[in-house]
mmCIF file of all heavy atoms in Angstrom:
data_model
loop_
_atom_site.group_PDB
_atom_site.id
_atom_site.type_symbol
_atom_site.label_atom_id
_atom_site.label_comp_id
_atom_site.label_asym_id
_atom_site.label_seq_id
_atom_site.Cartn_x
_atom_site.Cartn_y
_atom_site.Cartn_z
ATOM 1 N N THR I 10 119.144 80.021 78.098
ATOM 2 C CA THR I 10 119.070 80.037 79.559
ATOM 3 C C THR I 10 119.342 81.376 80.050
ATOM 4 O O THR I 10 120.385 81.988 79.724
ATOM 5 C CB THR I 10 119.939 79.014 80.113
ATOM 6 O OG1 THR I 10 119.617 77.702 79.682
ATOM 7 C CG2 THR I 10 119.840 78.987 81.655
ATOM 8 N N LEU I 11 118.494 81.893 80.935
ATOM 9 C CA LEU I 11 118.681 83.135 81.540
ATOM 10 C C LEU I 11 118.981 82.990 83.094
ATOM 11 O O LEU I 11 118.505 82.102 83.635
ATOM 12 C CB LEU I 11 117.465 84.049 81.386
ATOM 13 C CG LEU I 11 116.939 84.250 79.944
ATOM 14 C CD1 LEU I 11 115.658 85.035 79.980
ATOM 15 C CD2 LEU I 11 118.018 84.885 79.072
ATOM 16 N N GLY I 12 119.705 83.882 83.692
ATOM 17 C CA GLY I 12 120.033 83.896 85.153
ATOM 18 C C GLY I 12 119.332 85.005 85.917
ATOM 19 O O GLY I 12 119.115 86.048 85.372
ATOM 20 N N MET I 13 118.945 84.619 87.126
ATOM 21 C CA MET I 13 118.288 85.477 88.019
ATOM 22 C C MET I 13 119.033 85.489 89.317
ATOM 23 O O MET I 13 119.012 84.458 89.993
ATOM 24 C CB MET I 13 116.835 85.141 88.243
ATOM 25 C CG MET I 13 116.135 85.907 89.381
ATOM 26 S SD MET I 13 116.219 87.723 89.415
ATOM 27 C CE MET I 13 115.238 88.130 87.901
ATOM 28 N N LEU I 14 119.615 86.621 89.748
ATOM 29 C CA LEU I 14 120.240 86.735 91.052
ATOM 30 C C LEU I 14 119.196 87.175 92.055
ATOM 31 O O LEU I 14 118.735 88.284 91.972
ATOM 32 C CB LEU I 14 121.371 87.698 91.026
ATOM 33 C CG LEU I 14 122.579 87.370 90.201
ATOM 34 C CD1 LEU I 14 123.493 88.555 89.940
ATOM 35 C CD2 LEU I 14 123.367 86.292 90.937
ATOM 36 N N GLY I 15 118.770 86.349 93.003
ATOM 37 C CA GLY I 15 117.709 86.623 93.941
ATOM 38 C C GLY I 15 116.515 85.703 93.660
ATOM 39 O O GLY I 15 116.024 85.496 92.494
ATOM 40 N N GLY I 16 115.965 85.161 94.676
ATOM 41 C CA GLY I 16 114.881 84.150 94.608
ATOM 42 C C GLY I 16 113.512 84.503 95.190
ATOM 43 O O GLY I 16 112.788 83.608 95.449
ATOM 44 N N GLY I 17 113.304 85.757 95.453
ATOM 45 C CA GLY I 17 112.065 86.113 96.104
ATOM 46 C C GLY I 17 110.912 86.223 95.057
ATOM 47 O O GLY I 17 111.025 85.619 93.926
ATOM 48 N N GLN I 18 109.849 86.937 95.402
ATOM 49 C CA GLN I 18 108.692 87.018 94.495
ATOM 50 C C GLN I 18 108.991 87.717 93.193
ATOM 51 O O GLN I 18 108.416 87.266 92.169
ATOM 52 C CB GLN I 18 107.475 87.668 95.232
ATOM 53 C CG GLN I 18 107.654 89.163 95.533
ATOM 54 C CD GLN I 18 108.150 89.439 96.888
ATOM 55 O OE1 GLN I 18 108.797 88.492 97.506
ATOM 56 N NE2 GLN I 18 107.956 90.596 97.474
ATOM 57 N N LEU I 19 109.881 88.692 93.200
ATOM 58 C CA LEU I 19 110.219 89.367 91.931
ATOM 59 C C LEU I 19 110.891 88.381 90.992
ATOM 60 O O LEU I 19 110.610 88.278 89.802
ATOM 61 C CB LEU I 19 110.951 90.603 92.133
ATOM 62 C CG LEU I 19 110.313 91.738 92.992
ATOM 63 C CD1 LEU I 19 111.243 92.846 93.168
ATOM 64 C CD2 LEU I 19 109.003 92.186 92.325
ATOM 65 N N GLY I 20 111.838 87.670 91.511
ATOM 66 C CA GLY I 20 112.525 86.630 90.758
ATOM 67 C C GLY I 20 111.589 85.515 90.281
ATOM 68 O O GLY I 20 111.742 85.020 89.165
#
Side-chain angles (χ1 to χ4, degrees):
T10 299
L11 307 177
M13 169 53 69
L14 292 165
Q18 66 268 18
L19 299 178

